[in-house]
């Protein structure tokens, strides 16, 4: 049995995209992260060191989004999942990257890529 810790709507400006204008001008990205974590130790101890520090994780995710650009949203999502799985308490991570300003030529609300990665 695993519990979930979720961060929704982390927002940062990034320069990710296939087209040069996306990499030059940048655009807004939003990220949702859901972590599979056993929270029982933290619940017993009431100590932050026994769980995932979601404040610190949020800062690191935003750092990836606003940092070194990649061409594909899939690559960005994978890098975020890898970051989440760096914490040995995280059994699996589901990452959704939203690209609401994607270069799509028809009306749309959002473009998302969602991946799920588990510890092997």
């Amino acid at each position: 049995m695993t519990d979930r810790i979720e961060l929704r709507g982390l927002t940062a400006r990034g320069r990710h995209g296939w087209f040069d204008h996306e990499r030059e001008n940048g655009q807004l990205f939003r990220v949702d992260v859901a972590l599979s974590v056993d929270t029982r130790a933290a619940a017993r101890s009431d100590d932050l060191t026994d769980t995932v520090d979601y404040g610190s994780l949020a800062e690191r995710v935003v750092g990836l989004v606003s940092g070194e650009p990649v061409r594909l949203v899939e690559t960005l999502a994978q890098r975020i999942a890898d970051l989440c799985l760096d914490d040995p308490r995280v059994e699996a991570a589901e990452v959704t990257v939203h690209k609401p300003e994607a270069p799509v030529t028809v009306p749309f609300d959002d473009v998302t890529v969602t991946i799920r990665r588990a510890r092997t």
Side-chain angles (χ1 to χ4, degrees):
M1 177 180 101
T2 59
D3 307 315
R4 286 174 61 100
I5 295 174
E6 295 187 31
L7 293 165
R8 294 184 185 170
L10 297 172
T11 305
R13 190 159 187 82
R15 296 177 292 118
H16 313 288
W18 187 256
F19 299 106
D20 289 340
H21 67 87
E22 293 180 285
R23 295 167 70 81
E24 292 167 9
N25 302 327
Q27 60 191 290
L28 187 68
F29 290 84
R30 284 191 336 272
V31 176
D32 304 324
V33 176
L35 308 176
S36 296
V37 180
D38 185 342
T39 63
R40 289 177 289 190
R44 278 191 302 273
S45 70
D46 201 27
D47 190 330
L48 181 60
T49 62
D50 287 331
T51 190
V52 175
D53 180 349
Y54 52 78
S56 173
L57 178 61
E59 291 174 1
R60 290 182 291 148
V61 168
V62 165
L64 276 177
V65 174
S66 62
E68 184 67 30
V70 296
R71 292 219 175 253
L72 297 178
V73 176
E74 292 86 345
T75 304
L76 179 59
Q78 182 65 55
R79 289 185 179 180
I80 294 168
D82 290 342
L83 172 71
C84 294
L85 290 169
D86 279 346
D87 187 320
R89 293 170 292 219
V90 176
E91 298 169 21
E94 182 176 290
V95 176
T96 301
V97 176
H98 300 257
K99 190 174 179 181
E101 299 172 7
V104 176
T105 60
V106 297
F108 74 103
D109 289 328
D110 199 3
V111 171
T112 66
V113 171
T114 300
I115 65 171
R116 186 176 195 285
R117 300 294 184 260
R119 187 166 302 288
T120 55

